[in-house]
Amino acid sequence: MQKVFIITGANRGLGKAFADILIQNENHFVISISRSQSDEQKTYEPENFYFLKSDLSENTLEKNIQVLKGLIANQDIYFINNASIIEPITKIEHLDENAIDKTISVNIKSTMLITKYLLRNFSNHKLSFVNISSGAANRAISNWSLYCASKAFVKMFFDVAESEYEQHRFFNIDPGVMDTNMQKSIRENDFPDSSNFKNLQEEGKLKSPKDVALEILNTVL
Ligand SMILES: NC(=O)c1ccc[n+]([C@@H]2O[C@H](COP(=O)([O-])OP(=O)(O)OC[C@H]3O[C@@H](n4cnc5c(N)ncnc54)[C@H](OP(=O)(O)O)[C@@H]3O)[C@@H](O)[C@H]2O)c1
């Protein structure tokens, strides 16, 4: 039976790695909920790939995801909650309201809306919810208040979801430190712990998103 994978932020970084691996199996159908497509993704066959253009910081997601009803038949469904923003990296006194709204929309609200939609409309399917979490969900990092708090929020949201829906599967997975744009923007910011992140790159300790995606898929598939 074909499996459907709904991935947020699938155009680059870890999300792209998931999409690129999953698409290689003809029994997989990947739905990318992202703002853009990678060049490779533009060449993927419509039988295996659907690009649902959506900016998760805007109030359009609930409307946009209605299209999923027409795309999914009797398949098992995997939701990989991947898209996230870490900036602004700054002390709390410097946060502005727009940045707070944006982090809440991208990192928290989009997850809740997609999770709710799938539970409401596809409860008779085998549903697997995979939250790409972070060590920051459990560890306070100075100047990362929005990111840490958003990661902790979603982790707890998934824990509660698991308690409500025992028939479905919920995963909170910390991917570890990876060589993506998110790490690049961390290194470009100045904050008390920034030298540790620069050292990780200099010492070659960043994991490749492809390796991480394979590891996570081995756990959840
Ligand atoms: N990298 C690490 O070391 C690390 C460590 C622990 C956890 N994680 C977690 O791993 C996951 C993937 O991170 P990554 O390192 O791959 O990050 P990344 O390279 O920064 O990629 C983030 C993804 O989120 C998407 N995104 C951001 N804002 C969006 C918006 N408004 N609407 C739609 N999509 C949006 C981006 O798309 P655009 O191109 O449109 O911006 C991109 O596809 C995240 O949940 C992150 O918290 C990462």
Side-chain angles (χ1 to χ4, degrees):
M1 191 206 280
Q2 205 186 34
K3 292 185 165 89
V4 175
F5 297 85
I6 300 163
I7 310 171
T8 55
N11 57 309
R12 59 184 170 92
L14 181 62
K16 177 178 181 297
F18 279 123
D20 291 349
I21 294 164
L22 289 165
I23 204 78
Q24 288 168 26
N25 183 326
E26 61 185 19
N27 290 319
H28 291 167
F29 182 61
V30 175
I31 300 172
S32 162
I33 304 183
S34 310
R35 290 191 287 196
S36 66
Q37 298 186 82
S38 72
D39 289 342
E40 281 159 286
Q41 288 169 358
K42 288 177 189 159
T43 69
Y44 289 159
E45 297 296 330
E47 293 77 30
N48 296 105
F49 188 78
Y50 185 88
F51 172 45
L52 175 44
K53 188 174 170 60
S54 211
D55 184 334
L56 303 177
S57 69
E58 289 175 359
N59 259 341
T60 49
L61 182 65
E62 200 160 29
K63 184 170 130 281
N64 291 348
I65 56 177
Q66 299 303 323
V67 73
L68 295 177
K69 275 186 207 142
L71 292 172
I72 301 172
N74 290 321
Q75 303 101 323
D76 294 348
I77 303 172
Y78 293 77
F79 169 37
I80 304 183
N81 182 54
N82 169 77
S84 233
I85 52 173
I86 193 161
E87 297 208 34
I89 293 177
T90 190
K91 287 187 81 172
I92 293 167
E93 68 200 61
H94 301 305
L95 294 176
D96 71 56
E97 192 174 353
N98 288 338
I100 294 170
D101 281 346
K102 193 169 176 187
T103 299
I104 291 173
S105 293
V106 177
N107 292 13
I108 298 176
K109 195 170 150 194
S110 67
T111 310
M112 295 198 291
L113 288 175
I114 296 170
T115 303
K116 172 200 142 175
Y117 177 85
L118 294 175
L119 288 168
R120 200 178 173 101
N121 292 289
F122 298 100
S123 58
N124 56 339
H125 292 233
K126 192 174 156 204
L127 295 173
S128 300
F129 296 84
V130 183
N131 177 38
I132 305 303
S133 189
S134 166
N138 299 310
R139 183 166 75 91
I141 300 171
S142 296
N143 297 30
W144 289 26
S145 59
L146 288 181
Y147 182 75
C148 289
S150 68
K151 287 298 192 184
F153 185 114
V154 173
K155 182 170 178 282
M156 180 54 80
F157 182 74
F158 263 45
D159 286 346
V160 174
E162 185 172 37
S163 77
E164 291 181 14
Y165 298 93
E166 288 174 3
Q167 69 274 38
H168 301 307
R169 303 189 311 154
F170 294 85
F171 301 87
N172 278 304
I173 298 180
D174 173 6
V177 189
M178 298 175 287
D179 193 6
T180 63
N181 269 14
M182 185 174 279
Q183 279 300 318
K184 188 165 169 279
S185 63
I186 290 169
R187 288 192 301 275
E188 286 166 358
N189 277 274
D190 195 22
F191 59 100
D193 204 18
S194 58
S195 60
N196 283 341
F197 290 90
K198 288 176 185 144
N199 291 343
L200 285 173
Q201 192 215 16
E202 277 160 21
E203 292 162 12
K205 290 189 175 152
L206 299 180
K207 299 200 260 183
S208 100
K210 188 177 170 200
D211 290 348
V212 173
L214 282 169
E215 208 178 299
I216 292 173
L217 292 173
N218 276 339
T219 306
V220 304
L221 284 181

